[in-house]
Amino acid sequence: VYDTLNVDIGVSNYIFKVSGSRLTFEGYRKIYEEEQADNNGEGEKREDAGENNVDIDLPELDEGEILNLQKLTPEQHFTQPPQRYTEATLVKALEEKGIGRPSTYAPIITTILARDYVARDGKYLYPTELGKIITSLLKAHFKDIVDVQFTALMEEQLDSIEEGKKKWVEVVRNFYEDFEHTLKEAEAKIGHVEVPEETTGVICEKCGRNMVVKQGRYGKFLACPGFPECKNTKPIVEDTGLLCPECKGRLLVKRTKKGRKYYGCENYPGCKYMTWRKPSK
């Protein structure tokens, strides 16, 4: 729970706006932040759904009160793009739009990560090339379904079925009669779609071609485009530019089998240094 205050200050023909908020009741945040810090293994708190609230205490003000200018600081600000979703802010957005239920939030995030529609970089979620292609195809051929209002309405209908106000057969029939026709049209038009390959500057030492980035079961790797004639593959090595604190070898960005990023020494298994936290210079 926040106490919020929004103030409009009129100066001649101009309006200046300022807002502030003060946290008055932590609620789930008291537990959620600490649990996330333990679970992500990085030893730092995760920002949650309330991260956009700025804890600024404004003085007590009355409507119509005359204010005196104490200081004028001219600054130029450029429009910034909205922040990427974190898991917590994505859940908040789902709640606000009426999509899903508390029991489905975790499976939603697990699914989009497992299917490589998004990738996690630190605490933020980024759309992958596959995710962008899937989204564009769905919006082009299923625009009535890939819509926030449709999803929220379907949630309401499912609630009505659970409460006994509607019969599930009727709800499914009303939806599927139009969907069946749309699905057949989409299958005929879309056909086979391939995700474009990312060509790198790494040269295949076996045949001399530029290797490309492939997506495998355990994440991305480099592969020769000459497959099946050339079956050369190698892991993607991302150098942090830092040295291992134990043996002074290069510190590389690595990933677990589940795709989670960590930082380890290039001399493994001789040097077993690793850390989940992003190293600083």
Side-chain angles (χ1 to χ4, degrees):
V1 178
Y2 285 87
D3 279 346
T4 61
L5 180 64
N6 299 306
V7 184
D8 292 344
I9 305 171
V11 182
S12 297
N13 295 324
Y14 301 96
I15 297 293
F16 294 85
K17 296 178 180 289
V18 64
S19 61
S21 64
R22 183 177 66 253
L23 182 66
T24 58
F25 173 66
E26 289 184 285
Y28 76 93
R29 294 184 64 189
K30 187 176 183 68
I31 300 174
Y32 184 77
E33 286 187 349
E34 296 298 339
E35 283 190 348
Q36 288 297 318
D38 291 338
N39 291 338
N40 69 15
E42 297 179 3
E44 56 187 27
K45 286 187 177 182
R46 293 288 302 275
E47 294 185 30
D48 70 356
E51 69 178 0
N52 292 325
N53 290 304
V54 181
D55 295 337
I56 300 176
D57 283 332
L58 296 178
E60 294 293 333
L61 297 171
D62 296 321
E63 187 173 353
E65 182 179 347
I66 303 299
L67 304 179
N68 296 318
L69 177 63
Q70 295 182 345
K71 184 180 180 182
L72 182 63
T73 307
E75 294 181 351
Q76 184 178 16
H77 296 277
F78 296 94
T79 302
Q80 298 294 323
Q83 274 194 330
R84 298 284 185 183
Y85 281 117
T86 64
E87 291 185 16
T89 56
L90 178 56
V91 168
K92 183 183 179 184
L94 294 174
E95 288 177 336
E96 290 176 345
K97 297 181 184 299
I99 300 174
R101 294 294 182 267
S103 61
T104 64
Y105 295 146
I108 288 173
I109 294 173
T110 300
T111 299
I112 61 177
L113 285 167
R115 295 184 180 178
D116 197 39
Y117 297 155
V118 300
R120 186 189 286 113
D121 186 2
K123 66 184 179 182
Y124 294 106
L125 302 174
Y126 289 80
T128 62
E129 194 62 35
L130 175 61
K132 292 177 183 178
I133 292 174
I134 293 294
T135 300
S136 63
L137 287 174
L138 290 175
K139 291 175 75 172
H141 298 281
F142 300 93
K143 59 183 179 180
D144 293 333
I145 295 175
V146 186
D147 180 81
V148 171
Q149 296 301 322
F150 169 83
T151 309
L153 178 61
M154 181 59 71
E155 294 282 357
E156 291 179 6
Q157 291 181 326
L158 293 174
D159 287 342
S160 298
I161 294 172
E162 183 182 16
E163 294 166 2
K165 297 178 181 178
K166 286 188 176 181
K167 294 184 178 180
W168 71 267
V169 175
E170 178 185 347
V171 172
V172 172
R173 181 185 295 116
N174 291 337
F175 162 74
Y176 197 76
E177 284 178 351
D178 291 332
F179 177 71
E180 184 179 21
H181 177 69
T182 304
L183 182 62
K184 288 180 179 178
E185 281 190 346
E187 288 177 338
K189 292 179 180 179
I190 294 175
H192 182 68
V193 178
E194 289 189 7
V195 179
E197 295 177 340
E198 177 186 349
T199 303
T200 70
V202 180
I203 303 299
C204 175
E205 61 271 17
K206 293 185 178 180
C207 68
R209 295 182 175 92
N210 285 73
M211 303 191 80
V212 297
V213 178
K214 293 279 190 178
Q215 180 70 42
R217 181 179 179 184
Y218 300 122
K220 294 181 178 180
F221 63 95
L222 294 177
C224 181
F227 183 87
E229 292 82 13
C230 180
K231 300 180 180 179
N232 188 25
T233 63
K234 57 176 64 177
I236 294 178
V237 177
E238 184 181 343
D239 196 338
T240 64
L242 302 175
L243 298 179
C244 172
E246 294 186 1
C247 73
K248 304 306 178 183
R250 289 187 305 158
L251 203 57
L252 307 177
V253 179
K254 300 184 177 183
R255 293 186 182 274
T256 66
K257 288 185 176 181
K258 292 185 178 180
R260 186 179 174 189
K261 183 187 293 185
Y262 70 97
Y263 305 88
C265 181
E266 66 173 338
N267 295 323
Y268 178 86
C271 176
K272 292 183 170 57
Y273 176 81
M274 67 81 65
T275 177
W276 295 109
R277 180 180 294 183
K278 186 175 182 179
S280 58
K281 294 182 180 179

